[in-house]
């Protein structure tokens, strides 16, 4: 499958519709989109962009945004989606965008009238337009860049990841296999297009397969989650992070659910956060009266460094749920399970330490588990997840690779802790270096810097460690010293960045509490293990 063929040979009778704020929909055929994209690409070339250049798109989910994105493809350019302004301060947002623009070095910063003023603070805005004549679509090589994506949101340092056409084609094919895509399938999504699951997992999988697509903006989902689910009475495929499932299950009344029929809903990819099986169970139970099949729930694992997906569950199979013995969750050691079952066979208690299987890789993608020395571990051993295969990108852009996720020749050390069991991957979370909040990566280095600035604590005496739980984010602040007024400032700054639901803990001790490497870097993995073992005395922070 050539994922750009539709730009010159669009499928008749199919297209994309966009949710309007008045409750209606704005529809465009693929023939219309393809022509508008080629005209948009021609205008970008007229404005000075040349084949291979990056063009950044600062635009919301809309028809013009798709015209600009695929216009870049049509002109042989590399599109890069940028997070539109949200609830962050203007200064913080401008700093985020400026960091992306510095790395991406775009030929054009494409935007619209709404965001032109913000765009002007970081570059010269180019207002999206279409030329009179469409551009001829040039050929591309497998190793040419298809997109440039960034790993973090407003609270993290942006890390650019170039994605090749080979990377993208393999990941789209994998997603199609995980959902059992067939000609005529359709998809609905409210996920942001600057996020890999929204851009690749829903938009590109559907449009490159020329299936009908229903698109909403994230804010529209938050205002009315029922609008998304109503789409699933006719669509077969969608995706969402776990928090969205909880949100929808809590907000939609039973009377409205009773009017729907979800018998044709075949796939709900669930990812971007640790997948709590209790959330899946509540969602399946809530929407069972509408005919929702728990086998449609497809927990998945992936990250931007692997284009998107690494593993996914087999179509038609209910998620596998296991409960490890807590004392056996030690790095490099075997994991013992107290129980396991398929979702729906019995209720899943909330906050109970259960884990959800995230399935298996497809095609040439391989997943391994290694110990601290990088030696391979067998199934049912806890270690670091490593990934190899054509879905693996070539590395970070420039020098932005200082994080727990590390590229090595031919494979990626993800920085995530997990184990394999019964052929599936089970993910515990980050090993002390970063965490995800509402689907976005938050890097502990950035949290650390914020704590130091707010409290005045010496950088040599404090370290922030990611300590997520199965159903929520969490961090621990290790401080060599005594408590004091700094505790309030540290709590406030961490709450501001992680939200009210995250678990916060302070760990205080004498000099030597914080383990470091010979080069002076904190050994976050060892500190994370101290928390797991209960070896460190902790203070719960409200």
């Amino acid at each position: 499958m050539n994922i750009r063929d539709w730009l010159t040979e669009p499928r008749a009778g199919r297209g994309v519709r966009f949710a309007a704020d008045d409750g209606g929909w704005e529809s465009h055929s693929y023939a219309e989109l393809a022509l508008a994209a080629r005209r948009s690409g021609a205008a970008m070339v007229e404005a000075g962009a040349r084949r291979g250049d990056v063009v950044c798109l600062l635009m919301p989910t809309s028809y013009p945004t798709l015209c600009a994105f695929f216009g870049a493809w049509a002109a042989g350019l590399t599109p890069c989606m940028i997070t539109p302004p949200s609830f962050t301060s203007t200064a913080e947002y401008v700093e985020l965008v400026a960091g992306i623009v510095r790395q991406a070095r775009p030929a054009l910063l494409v935007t619209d009238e709404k965001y032109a003023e913000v765009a002007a603070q970081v570059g010269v805005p180019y207002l999206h337009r279409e030329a009179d004549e469409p551009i001829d679509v040039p050929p591309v090589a497998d190793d040419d860049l298809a997109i440039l994506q960034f790993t973090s949101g407003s609270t993290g340092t942006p890390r650019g990841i170039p994605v090749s056409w080979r990377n993208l084609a393999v990941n789209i094919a994998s997603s199609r296999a995980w959902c059992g895509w067939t000609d005529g399938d359709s998809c609905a999504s409210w996920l942001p297009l600057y996020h890999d699951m929204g851009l690749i997992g829903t938009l590109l999988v559907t449009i490159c397969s020329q299936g009908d697509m229903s698109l909403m903006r994230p804010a529209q989902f938050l205002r009315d989650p029922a609008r998304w689910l109503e789409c699933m009475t006719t669509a077969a495929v969608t995706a969402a992070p776990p928090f969205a499932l909880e949100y929808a299950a809590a907000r939609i009344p039973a009377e409205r659910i009773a009017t729907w029929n979800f018998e044709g809903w075949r796939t709900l990819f669930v990812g971007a956060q640790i997948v709590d099986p209790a959330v899946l169970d509540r969602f399946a139970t809530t929407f069972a009266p509408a005919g929702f099949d728990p086998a449609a729930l497809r927990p998945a694992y992936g990250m931007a460094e692997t284009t998107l997906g690494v593993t996914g569950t087999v179509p038609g199979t209910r998620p596998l749920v296991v409960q490890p013995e807590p004392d056996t969750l030690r790095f490099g050691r075997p994991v013992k399970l107290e129980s396991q079952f398929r979702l729906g066979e019995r209720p899943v208690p909330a906050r109970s330490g259960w884990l959800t299987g995230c399935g298996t890789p497809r095609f040439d993608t391989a997943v391994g588990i290694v110990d601290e020395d990088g030696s391979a571990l067998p199934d049912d051993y806890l270690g670091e997840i490593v990934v190899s295969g054509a879905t693996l990108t070539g590395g970070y852009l420039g020098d932005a690779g200082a994080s727990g996720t590390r590229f090595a020749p031919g494979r990626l050390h993800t920085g995530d802790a997990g184990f394999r069991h019964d052929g599936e991957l089970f993910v515990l979370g980050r090993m002390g270096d970063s965490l995800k909040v509402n689907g976005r990566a938050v890097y502990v280095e950035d949290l650390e810097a914020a704590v130091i600035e707010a409290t005045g604590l010496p950088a040599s005496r404090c370290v922030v460690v990611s300590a997520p739980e199965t159903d929520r984010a969490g961090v621990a602040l290790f401080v060599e010293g005594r408590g004091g007024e700094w505790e309030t400032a540290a709590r406030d700054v961490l709450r501001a960045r992680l939200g009210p639901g995250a678990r916060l803990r302070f760990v205080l001790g004498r000099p030597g509490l914080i383990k470091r490497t010979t080069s002076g870097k904190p050994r976050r993995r060892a500190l994370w293990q101290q928390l797991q073992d209960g070896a460190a005395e902790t203070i719960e922070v409200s």
Side-chain angles (χ1 to χ4, degrees):
M1 177 186 68
N2 187 319
I3 57 181
R4 295 194 313 154
D5 281 352
W6 69 274
L7 285 169
T8 52
E9 299 177 3
R11 187 72 175 266
R14 297 180 184 172
V16 187
R17 64 174 189 164
F18 300 83
D21 287 332
D22 62 3
W25 295 86
E26 172 195 345
S27 298
H28 298 271
S29 69
Y30 281 128
E32 184 182 355
L33 176 59
L35 180 59
R38 292 173 62 192
R39 286 175 172 167
S40 295
M44 292 180 198
V45 171
E46 290 176 359
R50 294 294 177 262
R51 183 174 175 179
D53 284 348
V54 171
V55 291
C56 287
L57 276 59
L58 178 53
M59 305 171 74
T61 298
S62 64
Y63 178 63
T65 301
L66 265 60
C67 294
F69 182 93
F70 293 115
W73 274 15
L77 307 172
T78 302
C80 171
M81 298 298 301
I82 295 181
T83 312
S86 57
F87 302 109
T88 57
S89 69
T90 300
E92 186 179 1
Y93 176 73
V94 169
E95 184 180 354
L96 166 74
V97 176
I100 292 174
V101 170
R102 280 194 300 270
Q103 288 189 61
R105 299 181 180 179
L108 298 173
L109 178 54
V110 186
T111 189
D112 57 15
E113 293 283 357
K114 182 178 180 180
Y115 297 136
E117 184 176 344
V118 174
Q121 297 183 57
V122 296
V124 178
Y126 165 82
L127 293 179
H128 173 257
R129 66 180 184 85
E130 296 178 18
D132 294 333
E133 297 296 327
I135 196 169
D136 291 331
V137 180
V140 294
D142 287 346
D143 291 330
D144 289 344
L145 296 188
I147 59 176
L148 176 62
Q149 58 183 354
F150 281 76
T151 59
S152 64
S154 60
T155 56
T157 301
R159 289 175 168 86
I161 300 175
V163 177
S164 71
W165 289 104
R166 178 185 288 105
N167 295 149
L168 192 57
V170 167
N171 222 273
I172 289 175
S174 296
S175 296
R176 285 166 52 94
W178 283 318
C179 71
W181 185 278
T182 60
D183 187 39
D185 279 348
S186 59
C187 176
S189 178
W190 56 268
L191 296 172
L193 300 184
Y194 57 82
H195 190 283
D196 50 10
M197 190 160 72
L199 178 62
I200 301 171
T202 58
L203 181 78
L204 295 186
V205 166
T206 305
I207 290 184
C208 294
S209 302
Q210 293 289 271
D212 284 321
M213 181 88 207
S214 297
L215 278 177
M216 298 170 58
R217 298 191 307 276
Q220 292 172 320
F221 162 76
L222 292 174
R223 283 196 297 268
D224 183 12
R227 195 175 185 189
W228 166 55
L229 291 176
E230 191 151 346
C231 293
M232 301 315 299
T233 61
T234 56
V237 179
T238 189
F243 84 86
L245 274 60
E246 277 197 297
Y247 185 75
R251 288 287 301 272
I252 302 174
E255 295 78 16
R256 188 164 188 184
I257 294 172
T259 67
W260 293 332
N261 183 345
F262 290 150
E263 291 181 0
W265 185 355
R266 199 175 63 247
T267 298
L268 169 51
F269 287 119
V270 186
Q273 295 173 300
I274 300 298
V275 181
D276 181 359
V279 172
L280 303 184
D281 191 44
R282 284 194 293 274
F283 185 88
T285 301
T286 300
F287 294 101
F292 181 79
D293 183 357
L297 291 163
R298 305 285 171 77
Y301 170 72
M303 55 182 54
E305 289 87 347
T306 60
T307 309
L308 172 63
V310 172
T311 65
T313 47
V314 177
T317 303
R318 294 188 180 197
L320 180 61
V321 179
V322 304
Q323 186 179 37
E325 294 182 9
D327 291 343
T328 68
L329 292 177
R330 296 174 178 271
F331 206 82
R333 304 291 296 276
V335 177
K336 295 181 180 179
L337 303 180
E338 294 180 356
S339 182
Q340 74 175 57
F341 59 90
R342 292 285 173 182
L343 190 76
E345 293 178 355
R346 55 172 144 150
V348 183
R351 300 182 184 273
S352 57
W354 294 89
L355 299 174
T356 308
C358 291
T360 59
R362 296 300 297 253
F363 305 116
D364 78 332
T365 302
V367 174
I369 306 294
V370 300
D371 62 17
E372 286 195 353
D373 297 324
S375 299
L377 293 169
D379 287 359
D380 296 301
Y381 272 67
L382 179 63
E384 182 179 13
I385 301 167
V386 295
V387 181
S388 61
T391 192
L392 190 63
T393 61
Y396 295 109
L397 190 68
D399 60 354
S403 77
T405 305
R406 312 171 307 284
F407 285 90
R411 67 179 185 175
L412 176 76
H413 290 257
T414 66
D416 285 333
F419 60 91
R420 293 173 304 192
H421 172 72
D422 277 2
E424 294 201 35
L425 178 67
F426 290 81
V427 184
L428 274 73
R430 299 296 292 176
M431 299 185 307
D433 290 300
S434 71
L435 65 159
K436 289 184 178 180
V437 177
N438 292 340
R440 294 186 180 184
V442 178
Y443 289 87
V444 292
E445 297 95 334
D446 301 327
L447 295 177
E448 221 163 75
V451 168
I452 291 167
E453 181 179 358
T455 63
L457 288 169
S460 60
R461 291 287 182 261
C462 67
V463 169
V464 175
V465 173
S466 170
E469 300 181 347
T470 57
D471 58 345
R472 58 175 176 167
V475 298
L477 172 62
F478 284 72
V479 176
E480 293 179 346
R482 298 179 179 179
E485 295 181 358
W486 63 263
E487 292 180 67
T488 300
R491 178 200 63 198
D492 291 345
V493 74
L494 291 172
R495 279 276 175 246
R497 283 159 173 75
L498 300 177
R503 183 183 184 185
L504 302 185
R505 286 175 283 179
F506 292 163
V507 184
L508 310 183
R510 297 178 179 180
L513 170 70
I514 299 173
K515 310 301 181 184
R516 296 182 180 274
T517 66
T518 54
S519 61
K521 296 179 181 178
R523 295 176 56 200
R524 299 183 202 272
R525 186 180 301 176
L527 297 174
W528 175 80
Q529 188 67 64
Q530 280 185 257
L531 289 174
Q532 294 295 111
D533 293 342
E537 294 185 7
T538 63
I539 301 171
E540 291 287 343
V541 181
S542 60

